[in-house]
């Protein structure tokens, strides 16, 4: 798996950070310090975890002092290129690791690390950040912990509001991470809708994998004179110029698949995205060769099929451009 993709398990991608007064099972005091919050129902946590999809698993190496852990993600077996052909290599191996200090504040678990900016980032500042988890037993690492999508940095708490929840289960020397799509999440307040409005107004591009990531969308509405007529968390009727559009999210499963539909008049545009990182042997063949992409720095191939270009061309047709 791409190193940056692995570390995105710990980093919250896409969209600006929003400063909130509290998150999940914790609150914030007047000085910005984390204090004990509302306890999480452990039985409910276990039920949700049991129904969530397995995203990744790995090893946990604990320091002798008991104040830090190293999480090691391993991939054993995968689809690779063999010359110009594809082949499933059962002996393929790739591992990546990251070390975290861990501590407890009230009912929260903090996994802390030093953020190292990439070589192309404008801001080259290094800083410590602590990712905040709730739901386990205070003072005990083992158990099920929910990633709150919040982090503690420079005496302030920053939170995201994306369309999925992550659960970490620590069990001795093992960790398993599962994801669950949030019920009643507002998919009409996302980066995807931002990009759609921007595409209508000025062109650009639409990334079909972005309906999971929160965005306010108000700027684009005002910028391009878009009027919202009706809206639910998965559908919206809106106007742009003299055209009326109906947008709906048909289904969305984070890091798996989604389908969106946009209608105007008698024209229907359907956008689809499918992603498989752990490609099974039966898919590693020439029938799917056009949909394989190398995961950077690994030699491993992942399957990804999407029709961004066709979706954009369909919208261009509606606009007559």
């Amino acid at each position: 798996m791409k190193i940056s993709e692995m570390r995105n398990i710990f980093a919250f991608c896409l969209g600006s950070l929003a400063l909130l007064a509290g998150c999940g099972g914790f609150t914030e005091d007047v000085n910005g310090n984390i204090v004990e919050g509302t306890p999480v129902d452990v039985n409910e946590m276990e039920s949700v975890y049991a129904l969530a999809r397995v995203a990744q698993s790995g090893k946990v190496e604990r320091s002798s002092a008991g104040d830090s852990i190293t999480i090691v993600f391993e991939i054993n077996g995968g689809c690779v290129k063999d010359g110009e052909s594809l082949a499933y290599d059962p002996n393929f191996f790739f591992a990546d690791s990251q070390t975290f200090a861990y501590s407890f504040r009230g009912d929260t678990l903090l996994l802390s690390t030093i953020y190292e900016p990439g070589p192309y980032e404008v801001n080259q500042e290094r800083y410590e950040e602590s990712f905040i988890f709730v739901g386990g037993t205070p003072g005990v690492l083992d158990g099920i912990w929910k990633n709150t999508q919040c982090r503690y940095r420079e005496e302030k708490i920053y939170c995201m509001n994306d369309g999925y929840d992550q659960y970490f289960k620590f069990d001795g020397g093992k960790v398993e991470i599962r994801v669950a799509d949030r019920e009643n999440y507002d998919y009409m307040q996302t980066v995807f809708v931002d990009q759609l409005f921007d595409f209508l107004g000025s062109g650009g591009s639409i990334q079909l994998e972005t309906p999971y990531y929160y965005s306010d969308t108000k700027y684009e509405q005002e910028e391009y004179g878009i009027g919202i007529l009706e809206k639910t968390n998965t559908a919206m009727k809106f106007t742009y110029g003299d055209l009326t559009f109906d947008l709906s999210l048909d289904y969305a499963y984070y890091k798996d698949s989604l389908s969106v539909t946009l209608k105007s008049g008698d024209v229907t545009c359907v956008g689809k995205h499918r992603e498989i990182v752990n490609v099974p042997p039966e898919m590693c063949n020439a029938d799917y060769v056009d949909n394989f992409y190398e995961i950077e720095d690994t030699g491993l191939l992942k399957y990804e099929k999407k029709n961004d270009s066709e979706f954009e061309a369909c919208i261009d047709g509606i606009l007559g451009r």
Side-chain angles (χ1 to χ4, degrees), residues 14 50 65 79 81 89-90 105 107 118 152 160 182 204 206 208 211 270 273 276 290 308-309:
L14 298 175
C79 188
K81 277 189 176 180
D89 182 1
R105 297 193 187 181
D107 65 350
Y152 191 56
M160 298 297 291
R182 289 185 169 181
I206 302 172
L208 287 172
V270 178
H273 179 260
I276 302 174
D290 292 336
D308 303 51
S309 298

Side-chain angles (χ1 to χ4, degrees), residues 13-320:
C13 307
L14 298 175
S16 301
L17 291 173
L19 179 61
L20 302 180
C23 226
F26 66 90
T27 56
E28 189 180 7
D29 69 13
V30 292
N31 297 314
N33 298 313
I34 300 173
V35 296
E36 187 171 356
T38 304
V40 175
D41 187 323
V42 175
N43 292 328
E44 180 182 353
M45 179 80 77
E46 291 179 349
S47 299
V48 173
Y49 179 83
L51 295 173
R53 301 188 303 278
V54 176
Q56 186 66 293
S57 60
K59 297 178 180 179
V60 177
E61 300 171 355
R62 308 188 187 211
S63 67
S64 57
D67 58 359
S68 69
I69 56 173
T70 298
I71 298 179
V72 183
F73 293 110
E74 297 181 341
I75 294 178
N76 293 281
C79 188
V80 298
K81 277 189 176 180
D82 183 10
E84 295 301 316
S85 303
L86 302 176
Y88 188 87
D89 182 1
N91 298 316
F92 177 88
F93 176 80
F94 181 83
D96 185 47
S97 63
Q98 190 165 7
T99 298
F100 298 88
Y102 73 91
S103 59
F104 300 90
R105 297 193 187 181
D107 65 350
T108 67
L109 163 68
L110 302 183
L111 295 184
S112 305
T113 187
I114 301 297
Y115 178 77
E116 298 284 356
Y120 302 109
E121 292 187 44
V122 174
N123 185 357
Q124 288 291 305
E125 177 189 2
R126 297 172 73 251
Y127 55 83
E128 180 178 310
E129 57 185 353
S130 300
F131 301 98
I132 304 171
F133 296 77
V134 296
T137 302
V140 179
L141 180 64
D142 281 355
I144 300 171
W145 293 90
K146 179 181 179 180
N147 184 337
T148 63
Q149 293 197 22
C150 295
R151 52 182 158 180
Y152 191 56
R153 174 187 167 190
E154 296 176 347
E155 304 306 317
K156 292 184 179 179
I157 297 175
Y158 297 86
C159 296
M160 298 297 291
N161 180 28
D162 293 334
Y164 59 93
D165 288 316
Q166 294 175 328
Y167 299 89
F168 283 48
K169 183 177 182 179
F170 293 101
D171 182 12
K174 300 180 294 182
V175 62
E176 183 176 74
I177 301 170
R178 297 192 180 196
V179 294
D181 301 290
R182 289 185 169 181
E183 291 186 12
N184 303 315
Y185 184 73
D186 191 351
Y187 289 97
M188 298 296 105
Q189 291 285 131
T190 59
V191 171
F192 168 76
V193 175
D194 264 343
Q195 293 178 341
L196 173 61
F197 288 168
D198 188 64
F199 184 83
L200 291 171
S202 61
S205 62
I206 302 172
Q207 295 175 291
L208 287 172
E209 59 268 40
T210 55
Y212 310 102
Y213 307 108
Y214 173 81
S215 182
D216 186 86
T217 76
K218 287 183 180 178
Y219 174 82
E220 279 71 18
Q221 290 179 38
E222 296 173 357
E223 177 76 7
Y224 302 115
I226 290 169
I228 309 300
L229 304 178
E230 300 174 10
K231 178 181 174 299
T232 68
N233 66 309
T234 58
M236 178 167 55
K237 181 185 289 288
F238 65 90
T239 59
Y240 169 68
D242 58 355
L243 296 171
T244 299
F245 291 87
D246 288 284
L247 173 66
S248 63
L249 179 92
D250 307 316
Y251 56 84
Y253 306 104
Y254 177 69
K255 284 296 183 182
D256 185 277
S257 58
L258 68 87
S259 175
V260 293
T261 299
L262 182 70
K263 298 179 181 179
S264 184
D266 58 356
V267 180
T268 298
C269 306
V270 178
K272 291 182 178 291
H273 179 260
R274 182 79 169 96
E275 180 180 9
I276 302 174
V277 175
N278 298 317
V279 177
E282 60 270 19
M283 284 189 66
C284 187
N285 59 61
D287 293 341
Y288 303 96
V289 67
D290 292 336
N291 301 112
F292 278 108
Y293 303 89
E294 184 172 347
I295 301 174
E296 185 181 346
D297 299 327
T298 67
L300 189 68
L301 299 177
K302 74 172 181 177
Y303 174 88
E304 187 171 11
K305 185 176 183 180
K306 53 185 177 181
N307 65 338
D308 303 51
S309 298
E310 293 83 355
F311 187 64
E312 293 168 359
C314 181
I315 298 172
D316 279 334
I318 294 174
L319 298 174

